[in-house]
Coordinates of all heavy atoms in Angstrom, one line a residue:
I1170 N -13.2 38.0 -93.1 CA -12.9 39.4 -92.7 C -12.7 40.3 -93.9 O -12.4 39.8 -95.0 CB -11.6 39.5 -91.8 CG1 -10.4 39.0 -92.6 CG2 -11.8 38.6 -90.5 CD1 -9.1 39.2 -91.8
S1171 N -12.8 41.6 -93.7 CA -12.6 42.5 -94.8 C -11.4 43.4 -94.4 O -11.4 44.1 -93.4 CB -13.8 43.4 -95.0 OG -14.9 42.7 -95.5
L1172 N -10.3 43.3 -95.2 CA -9.1 44.0 -94.9 C -9.3 45.5 -95.3 O -8.8 46.4 -94.6 CB -7.9 43.5 -95.7 CG -7.5 42.0 -95.3 CD1 -6.4 41.6 -96.2 CD2 -7.1 42.0 -93.9
N1173 N -10.1 45.8 -96.3 CA -10.5 47.1 -96.7 C -11.7 47.0 -97.6 O -12.3 45.9 -97.6 CB -9.3 47.8 -97.4 CG -8.8 47.0 -98.6 OD1 -9.6 46.6 -99.5 ND2 -7.5 46.8 -98.6
R1174 N -12.1 48.1 -98.2 CA -13.3 48.1 -99.0 C -13.3 47.1 -100.2 O -14.4 46.6 -100.6 CB -13.6 49.5 -99.6 CG -13.9 50.5 -98.6 CD -14.1 51.9 -99.3 NE -15.1 51.8 -100.4 CZ -15.2 52.8 -101.3 NH1 -14.4 53.8 -101.3 NH2 -16.1 52.6 -102.2
H1175 N -12.1 46.7 -100.6 CA -12.0 45.9 -101.8 C -11.5 44.5 -101.6 O -11.6 43.6 -102.5 CB -11.1 46.6 -102.9 CG -11.6 48.0 -103.3 ND1 -12.7 48.2 -104.1 CD2 -11.2 49.2 -102.9 CE1 -12.9 49.5 -104.3 NE2 -12.0 50.1 -103.6
V1176 N -10.8 44.2 -100.5 CA -10.1 43.0 -100.3 C -10.6 42.3 -99.1 O -10.7 42.9 -98.0 CB -8.6 43.2 -100.1 CG1 -7.9 41.8 -100.0 CG2 -8.0 43.9 -101.4
G1177 N -11.0 41.0 -99.2 CA -11.5 40.2 -98.1 C -10.8 38.9 -98.0 O -10.1 38.5 -99.0
V1178 N -10.8 38.3 -96.9 CA -10.1 37.0 -96.6 C -11.2 36.0 -96.1 O -11.9 36.3 -95.2 CB -9.0 37.2 -95.6 CG1 -8.3 35.8 -95.4 CG2 -7.9 38.1 -96.2
R1179 N -11.1 34.8 -96.7 CA -12.0 33.7 -96.2 C -11.2 32.5 -95.8 O -10.3 32.1 -96.5 CB -13.0 33.3 -97.3 CG -13.9 32.2 -96.9 CD -14.8 31.8 -98.1 NE -14.0 31.3 -99.2 CZ -14.5 30.9 -100.4 NH1 -15.8 31.1 -100.7 NH2 -13.7 30.5 -101.4
I1180 N -11.4 32.0 -94.6 CA -10.6 30.9 -94.1 C -11.6 29.8 -93.7 O -12.3 29.9 -92.8 CB -9.8 31.3 -92.8 CG1 -8.9 32.5 -93.1 CG2 -8.9 30.2 -92.3 CD1 -8.2 33.1 -91.9
L1181 N -11.5 28.7 -94.4 CA -12.3 27.6 -94.2 C -11.5 26.3 -93.8 O -12.1 25.4 -93.2 CB -13.2 27.2 -95.4 CG -14.1 28.3 -96.0 CD1 -14.8 27.8 -97.2 CD2 -15.1 28.7 -94.9
G1182 N -10.2 26.3 -94.0 CA -9.4 25.2 -93.7 C -7.9 25.6 -94.0 O -7.6 26.6 -94.6
Q1183 N -7.0 24.7 -93.7 CA -5.6 24.9 -93.9 C -5.3 25.1 -95.4 O -4.5 26.0 -95.8 CB -4.8 23.8 -93.3 CG -3.3 24.0 -93.4 CD -2.5 22.9 -92.8 OE1 -3.0 21.7 -92.7 NE2 -1.2 23.1 -92.5
D1184 N -6.0 24.4 -96.2 CA -5.8 24.5 -97.7 C -7.0 25.2 -98.3 O -7.1 25.2 -99.6 CB -5.6 23.1 -98.3 CG -6.8 22.1 -98.1 OD1 -7.6 22.5 -97.2 OD2 -6.8 21.1 -98.7
K1185 N -7.8 25.8 -97.6 CA -9.0 26.5 -98.1 C -9.0 28.0 -97.5 O -9.9 28.4 -96.8 CB -10.3 25.8 -97.7 CG -10.4 24.4 -98.4 CD -11.7 23.7 -98.0 CE -11.8 22.3 -98.6 NZ -13.0 21.6 -98.2
I1186 N -8.0 28.7 -98.0 CA -7.8 30.2 -97.5 C -7.8 30.9 -98.8 O -7.0 30.7 -99.7 CB -6.5 30.4 -96.7 CG1 -6.5 29.5 -95.5 CG2 -6.4 31.8 -96.3 CD1 -5.2 29.5 -94.7
A1187 N -8.7 31.9 -99.0 CA -8.8 32.7 -100.2 C -8.8 34.1 -99.9 O -9.3 34.6 -99.0 CB -10.1 32.3 -101.0
V1188 N -8.1 34.9 -100.8 CA -8.1 36.3 -100.8 C -8.9 36.7 -102.0 O -8.6 36.3 -103.1 CB -6.6 36.9 -100.9 CG1 -6.7 38.4 -101.1 CG2 -5.8 36.5 -99.7
S1189 N -9.9 37.5 -101.8 CA -10.8 38.0 -102.9 C -10.7 39.5 -103.0 O -10.6 40.2 -102.1 CB -12.3 37.6 -102.6 OG -12.7 38.2 -101.3
F1190 N -10.6 39.9 -104.3 CA -10.5 41.3 -104.6 C -11.7 41.7 -105.5 O -12.0 41.0 -106.5 CB -9.2 41.5 -105.4 CG -9.0 42.9 -105.9 CD1 -8.5 43.9 -105.1 CD2 -9.3 43.3 -107.2 CE1 -8.3 45.2 -105.5 CE2 -9.2 44.6 -107.7 CZ -8.7 45.6 -106.8
L1191 N -12.4 42.7 -105.2 CA -13.6 43.2 -105.9 C -13.5 44.7 -106.1 O -13.4 45.4 -105.1 CB -14.9 42.8 -105.1 CG -16.2 43.2 -105.7 CD1 -16.4 42.5 -107.1 CD2 -17.3 42.8 -104.8
A1192 N -13.6 45.1 -107.3 CA -13.6 46.5 -107.7 C -14.2 46.7 -109.0 O -13.9 46.0 -110.0 CB -12.2 47.1 -107.6
M1193 N -15.1 47.7 -109.2 CA -15.6 48.1 -110.5 C -16.3 46.9 -111.2 O -16.2 46.8 -112.4 CB -14.6 48.8 -111.3 CG -14.0 50.1 -110.7 SD -12.9 51.0 -111.9 CE -11.7 49.7 -112.1
G1194 N -17.0 46.1 -110.4 CA -17.7 44.9 -111.0 C -16.8 43.8 -111.4 O -17.2 42.8 -111.9
Q1195 N -15.5 43.9 -111.1 CA -14.5 42.8 -111.5 C -14.1 42.1 -110.2 O -13.9 42.8 -109.1 CB -13.3 43.3 -112.2 CG -13.7 44.0 -113.5 CD -14.2 43.1 -114.6 OE1 -13.8 41.9 -114.6 NE2 -15.1 43.5 -115.4
Q1196 N -13.9 40.8 -110.2 CA -13.5 40.0 -109.0 C -12.3 39.1 -109.4 O -12.3 38.5 -110.5 CB -14.6 39.3 -108.4 CG -14.3 38.5 -107.1 CD -15.5 37.8 -106.5 OE1 -16.4 37.3 -107.3 NE2 -15.6 37.7 -105.2
A1197 N -11.4 39.0 -108.4 CA -10.3 38.0 -108.6 C -10.1 37.3 -107.3 O -10.3 37.9 -106.2 CB -9.0 38.8 -109.0
K1198 N -9.9 36.0 -107.3 CA -9.7 35.2 -106.1 C -8.3 34.6 -106.2 O -7.9 34.0 -107.2 CB -10.8 34.2 -106.0 CG -12.1 34.7 -105.6 CD -13.1 33.6 -105.3 CE -14.5 34.2 -105.0 NZ -15.5 33.1 -104.6
F1199 N -7.6 34.5 -105.0 CA -6.3 33.9 -104.9 C -6.4 32.9 -103.8 O -6.7 33.2 -102.7 CB -5.3 34.9 -104.5 CG -5.2 36.1 -105.5 CD1 -6.0 37.2 -105.3 CD2 -4.3 36.1 -106.6 CE1 -5.9 38.3 -106.2 CE2 -4.2 37.1 -107.4 CZ -5.0 38.3 -107.2
N1200 N -6.1 31.6 -104.2 CA -6.1 30.5 -103.2 C -4.7 30.6 -102.5 O -3.7 30.2 -103.1 CB -6.4 29.2 -103.8 CG -6.3 28.0 -102.8 OD1 -6.4 28.3 -101.7 ND2 -6.2 26.8 -103.3

């Protein structure tokens, strides 16, 4: 899912949940 234009959430399992942030060509992921 996309929470907004820059932040998305990926859920693959209980211990495989990631928040991804993308802006101006830079990306950060939080497990």
Side-chain angles (χ1 to χ4, degrees):
I1170 64 172
S1171 296
L1172 297 175
N1173 55 53
R1174 291 178 55 193
H1175 302 285
V1176 184
V1178 177
R1179 180 182 63 183
I1180 304 173
L1181 302 179
Q1183 187 180 18
D1184 58 345
K1185 296 179 180 179
I1186 303 173
V1188 173
S1189 59
F1190 176 82
L1191 178 63
M1193 298 186 299
Q1195 301 292 325
Q1196 184 177 30
K1198 289 186 178 181
F1199 305 87
N1200 181 17

